[in-house]
Amino acid sequence: MKNLKSIYLSASLSFKINLFKSMFAFLLASFLTGMANVLCSFIMILTSKTLILPFCSMFVLLVVNTALTFGLQLLIYLLYKRENAILGHLFYFFKDIKRIFIITLFQLASYFVLIFLAFIPYFFLGNANQDFNFIQTLLNLSLLEPNSPELILAEEVLAKGISSWFFISTLLSVILILFFTVITSFIPFKLFENSEKSVLKIIVESVKLSTSSLIKFLYVCFMSIRWILLVFVLCLVAVFILKINFITTMLSFVLGLLMICFYFGCSAFYCYKVGFVFSSKNEEEVLSLPESEFQIIEEDENPSEKLEDE
């Protein structure tokens, strides 16, 4: 496990060194996505009588979100490699918008299939009427007047809760989507390094590379995010179980840190799989750090085979 430890230690160290740069890029990407979301909502209100324009505006929002997310991953990838990473890399994939458009379609189709598969047991065993009433009542709860008969009826509906199969299917769909996100996390790196390849080849190569040592990849990702993940879970417990509402403001910040740690873990494992080694200048910089914090990953002829042999 020595090499795996070196990989996630290098990711953790790079996260510490580049925390300010990567967090600033994440906040900027979040702000731009939020502005695009506001613009999309404004367009949907103005064109609510038609079906095509609201749908198109929502899809454009998804394309923008994909481009910014990939740009953030690229920026973190270059920061990990100690290359000349600038804030402009956040917008790099807007000049490759055609392939981003196709990848967004691929992601939407994949999400639909995964959610459909997760809800197959619910279609046969769930109580759709109870769950539909629960969700509809929950959405309309803020519109009801205090002490009104409608509010009393709504509380009775909410007291019944949702069926266990709906909860299980929802949880399963989240797990499947997270797994899909992990195995396709190399796509931005492949897009950046292969500007002429088709999207299909990029997707296939990325998935093959991530799944060739899947258990080790998942282990590196988990070890890269373990402490931030613990903080995130504690925040969720504080908000939803202990009802400590002011913690809600921290969730977005902690989620951002969680995403950044995950991207550094992905970058480190991808660099190992493709045989990347630091340049002499960067290697001297890294070797000057305490050995307990980081072990430089040595170059070998076939790093993927080395991982398989362990």
Side-chain angles (χ1 to χ4, degrees):
M1 300 294 287
K2 181 179 178 181
N3 288 322
L4 292 179
K5 185 177 181 181
S6 298
I7 296 171
Y8 72 74
L9 282 178
S10 69
S12 299
L13 180 62
S14 188
F15 167 74
K16 294 175 185 177
I17 294 173
N18 300 291
L19 175 59
F20 177 76
K21 293 179 182 178
S22 54
M23 196 63 201
F24 180 79
F26 169 79
L27 292 174
L28 179 59
S30 300
F31 172 77
L32 294 174
T33 302
M35 293 298 294
N37 193 19
V38 170
L39 181 61
C40 177
S41 301
F42 183 70
I43 294 174
M44 290 178 65
I45 292 172
L46 293 178
T47 60
S48 57
K49 294 183 179 180
T50 63
L51 293 176
I52 298 178
L53 289 178
F55 176 79
C56 291
S57 61
M58 288 182 62
F59 185 74
V60 169
L61 175 63
L62 291 175
V63 172
V64 170
N65 182 66
T66 302
L68 288 173
T69 302
F70 281 13
L72 179 62
Q73 286 185 256
L74 174 61
L75 182 65
I76 289 174
Y77 173 61
L78 296 176
L79 286 173
Y80 173 78
K81 293 173 67 176
R82 294 172 176 83
E83 294 187 2
N84 185 26
I86 58 175
L87 199 58
H89 284 113
L90 189 64
F91 310 98
Y92 176 85
F93 289 105
F94 283 99
K95 69 180 183 180
D96 197 6
I97 203 67
K98 181 179 178 181
R99 293 199 294 176
I100 295 297
F101 180 89
I102 298 173
I103 288 173
T104 303
L105 284 175
F106 164 74
Q107 290 176 331
L108 282 177
S110 300
Y111 294 155
F112 176 81
V113 171
L114 292 174
I115 292 172
F116 176 80
L117 292 175
F119 272 83
I120 286 178
Y122 176 76
F123 296 149
F124 297 98
L125 302 171
N127 189 337
N129 186 50
Q130 175 187 341
D131 297 327
F132 177 79
N133 288 336
F134 178 88
I135 295 172
Q136 186 180 36
T137 303
L138 187 64
L139 293 174
N140 296 329
L141 188 62
S142 61
L143 303 177
L144 300 179
E145 296 181 2
N147 301 321
S148 64
E150 292 82 4
L151 181 61
I152 296 174
L153 181 61
E155 290 175 348
E156 293 177 357
V157 173
L158 294 177
K160 295 179 182 178
I162 59 174
S163 64
S164 58
W165 279 107
F166 182 82
F167 176 79
I168 292 171
S169 297
T170 303
L171 181 62
L172 180 59
S173 65
V174 171
I175 293 172
L176 289 175
I177 289 174
L178 287 176
F179 180 75
F180 172 80
T181 302
V182 170
I183 64 173
T184 57
S185 56
F186 292 163
I187 289 179
F189 312 147
K190 287 290 185 180
L191 284 174
F192 176 68
E193 295 172 351
N194 302 276
S195 58
E196 301 299 326
K197 282 189 177 181
S198 67
V199 171
L200 180 59
K201 288 184 179 180
I202 292 291
I203 293 172
V204 170
E205 290 179 5
S206 301
V207 172
K208 279 185 178 180
L209 192 63
S210 61
T211 55
S212 61
S213 302
L214 182 59
I215 301 300
K216 296 178 176 66
F217 181 37
L218 293 175
Y219 174 77
V220 169
C221 289
F222 173 75
M223 293 302 291
S224 300
I225 67 172
R226 63 191 187 283
W227 296 117
I228 303 297
L229 180 62
L230 176 61
V231 173
F232 183 70
V233 171
L234 291 176
C235 288
L236 291 178
V237 171
V239 171
F240 294 105
I241 297 179
L242 302 180
K243 305 298 182 181
I244 306 176
N245 294 327
F246 74 90
I247 300 293
T248 306
T249 57
M250 294 178 55
L251 281 175
S252 297
F253 178 77
V254 177
L255 182 61
L257 291 177
L258 188 65
M259 288 177 59
I260 291 169
C261 287
F262 171 70
Y263 292 156
F264 273 111
C266 290
S267 300
F269 196 82
Y270 177 80
C271 286
Y272 187 85
K273 291 290 288 182
V274 299
F276 168 80
V277 289
F278 293 104
S279 64
S280 300
K281 180 180 178 181
N282 287 326
E283 189 173 26
E284 291 175 4
E285 175 188 345
V286 173
L287 288 173
S288 66
L289 296 169
E291 290 185 3
S292 60
E293 292 190 35
F294 179 74
Q295 300 173 19
I296 190 68
I297 300 174
E298 299 290 345
E299 181 180 15
D300 57 79
E301 293 181 354
N302 196 334
S304 59
E305 287 186 4
K306 189 174 182 180
L307 274 176
E308 297 293 338
D309 292 336
E310 292 180 0

